[in-house]
Amino acid sequence: MKRRIGILTAGGDCPGLNAAIRGVARASYHLFDADIIGIRGGYRGLIEGDYHRMEESDFSNILTRGGTILGTSRTPFSQMRDNDDGVDKVDEMKRNCRAMKLDCLVCLGGNGTHKTANLLSEEGLNVIGLPKTIDNDIAGTDYTFGFHTAVEIATDVIDRIHTTAASHGRCMVIELMGNKAGWLTLYAGMAGGADVILLPEIPYDINKVAEVVETRANLNKSFSIIAVAEGAMSQDEKAMKRKEREQARTESVYNSISQRIAAEIEELCGVETRTVVPGHIQRGGTPCAYDRVLSTEFGVHAAQLIRDEIYGVTVAVDGRKIIHNKLSDIAGVPKLVQVDGPMVQTARDINISLGI
Ligand code: F6P
């Protein structure tokens, strides 16, 4: 029996999206009679009816390509039912799925994407999720694809900063992506041998950070490396209400957390300090080998689920097993770094400071 599969990529892009799309497509063509409809620009394309039938050749030569051949957009979950513009976007998406005669919809994305995927599933559509994000913050899976590539890129940044920091005897503050979850900073900080790792989950005390820089200076280790997640906050900020904190940041003379920490370190320790913000470089370019394999495994598992008509789930990895979880169990549940988890303990045990 022929299956018509709609596929979209939503939210921030990351390396491995094309490898996953290819995995879904190749396994679907192989396992059953498949027609694949590519939906452009994430949920925006589904709302607006921007889609096209894809050919098998569209999935050639994309394994190593960064970004997403389907395009993506951020359509906030909070606006899905918003009728400000007189349009119920969920109704539009359901209407377009009917127009495309889809048997199922495969949504590749992060936390926001999964919340909408779950909503569409609750509305009666056959939906399968694939978890991507460099933040690695989706519940129920050890890893999301894109994460390991971002760790490689961020580690390379730290390695390169190490040599220039050592030459000049400077403190370098490297700000990595991750607003709520610090996985990327924790992994890259450990892989790159950072002296201090600051995460959104563990509010820091700047005096403790300064102590590390000073102690290293006194030991004639004239440089220090601080890896900080963009969403990290001080203990004082943590004590504020969210709105109050946002207001304070807007009014601050510093544009970013790394700038603020650098200024405070210079003032407290008198050590020359510089900042580095690799930003979207962490999401760009070709996926690393691990992500190519994981994306392919996820894509193939999705095709097997379609063959077996199992919907309302998202694919995941548990140890070395590829599994699937119910969308309703994981949607809206961010996976954060556990303050007393094994990775944090490992960092502590080799005397990396977490800033507390
Ligand atoms: O969710 C992935 C992510 O890269 C976060 O780490 C970062 O905070 C955010 O996206 C940046 O979003 P945008 O690309 O929309 O600026």
Side-chain angles (χ1 to χ4, degrees), residues 260-272:
R260 179 175 146 190
I261 289 173
E264 289 174 338
I265 291 295
E266 284 203 332
E267 196 188 310
L268 289 168
C269 312
V271 174
E272 195 178 22

Side-chain angles (χ1 to χ4, degrees), residues 12 74 133-135 177-179 230 280 283:
R74 291 194 187 275
T133 163
I134 65 163
D135 294 339
M177 277 188 164
N179 241 317
E230 62 183 331
H280 288 79
R283 291 211 323 238

Side-chain angles (χ1 to χ4, degrees), residues 61-121:
N61 260 324
I62 62 168
L63 172 63
T64 61
R65 198 187 303 173
T68 160
I69 58 166
L70 293 172
T72 187
S73 63
R74 291 194 187 275
T75 317
F77 179 73
S78 56
Q79 287 169 23
M80 287 299 174
R81 286 285 192 195
D82 191 342
N83 276 341
D84 277 0
D85 52 5
V87 180
D88 183 318
K89 291 156 191 84
V90 175
D91 283 350
E92 289 306 295
M93 289 193 277
K94 284 163 66 180
R95 198 173 57 76
N96 279 318
C97 282
R98 278 196 301 274
M100 285 183 269
K101 296 188 171 54
L102 293 188
D103 294 300
C104 84
L105 176 68
V106 181
C107 303
L108 285 66
N111 270 313
T113 303
H114 276 80
K115 281 210 277 187
T116 300
N118 183 46
L119 175 61
L120 294 176
S121 170

Side-chain angles (χ1 to χ4, degrees), residues 23-25 27-28 31-32 128 298-308:
V24 175
S28 295
L31 292 175
F32 44 86
I128 294 174
F298 279 6
V300 171
H301 193 84
Q304 292 164 349
L305 291 168
I306 298 167
R307 176 197 60 197
D308 300 340

